[in-house]
Every structure is written in structure tokens, then in C-alpha cells.
Amino acid sequence: MSELPHDIEAERDYLACAFIDGPEAISYGIGLGLNVESFYDTRNGAIFAAMLGLVSGGIGCEIQTVRAALKDSGALERIGGDVALLAVSQLQPTTLYTRHWAKRIRDAAIR
């Protein structure tokens, strides 16, 4: 059985950019058609879902707000807890490539 196409690094870098650019990064991803199912790694999909909910409610995507949203939904432990969330938030991709990462996720999801 073959593995589904995916790009875990693109998923993590896109989410790290969303911690910095919040609404802009999430809105761009939505415009490309990204949704929770676009993420191969379900942990990354849960983080995206939390960010999406925050942005749609007019709240920014800081580590504290995303953590609270994950905890409230019961997803914090499923993603690996605080350690996993911090690992994503502390990545240092340049936000110049937010669109690039979002496109790589979309392209992998539609293959």
C-alpha cells in the first residue's frame, strides 16, 4: 500500500508562519482551499483548526490563544501537548514564504 502524498515540513512551516502572520496566513490558506483534511499530519490539522476558529472569531494566533483553543476542544493532548505546540511555534521560517508553504500543502493534498 502506498503512502499518501504529503509535506510535513511545509505543514509545520506554514503553521509557524501563521503564529506570526495570523489572519493573513490563515486567510490565504483558506483562499487556496486548505482545510483540516488538507493536512496529512492530523496534529497539524488540529492546530490549523484551532487557528481557523480563532481567526474567524477575530482573535489572533498567539501561542497562548492557540493553546487555549486546543485545550478547550480537547485536542491539546492529542497533538502531543505543550511540547509539540511549542515545537511548531518556535520554528523560524521567514513569512516571505507563507504562500509557498500553503501551496505545497494544497498541492500534496490534491495529489
Side-chain angles (χ1 to χ4, degrees):
M1 178 179 219
S2 64
E3 190 171 287
L4 294 173
H6 63 280
D7 191 335
I8 301 297
E9 288 180 9
E11 292 180 12
R12 292 171 55 86
D13 286 340
Y14 171 74
L15 294 171
C17 288
F19 275 111
I20 299 166
D21 280 348
E24 293 84 12
I26 298 300
S27 294
Y28 183 78
I30 292 167
L32 282 178
L34 293 186
N35 58 50
V36 174
E37 290 79 29
S38 301
F39 290 80
Y40 177 82
D41 188 325
T42 57
R43 296 169 297 184
N44 293 335
I47 295 170
F48 179 76
M51 290 178 162
L52 182 59
L54 290 167
V55 168
S56 68
I59 300 169
C61 295
E62 279 107 26
I63 185 74
Q64 300 89 340
T65 58
V66 174
R67 182 189 184 281
L70 288 165
K71 187 174 182 183
D72 291 348
S73 71
L76 183 61
E77 292 310 313
R78 283 197 314 269
I79 69 154
D82 290 329
V83 172
L85 184 60
L86 285 170
V88 172
S89 72
Q90 292 178 348
L91 293 172
Q92 298 290 318
T94 176
T95 57
L96 293 173
Y97 296 116
T98 302
R99 293 173 181 232
H100 169 73
W101 301 127
K103 287 177 183 174
R104 289 185 59 93
I105 296 166
R106 180 207 52 202
D107 292 349
I110 61 176
R111 279 191 255 152

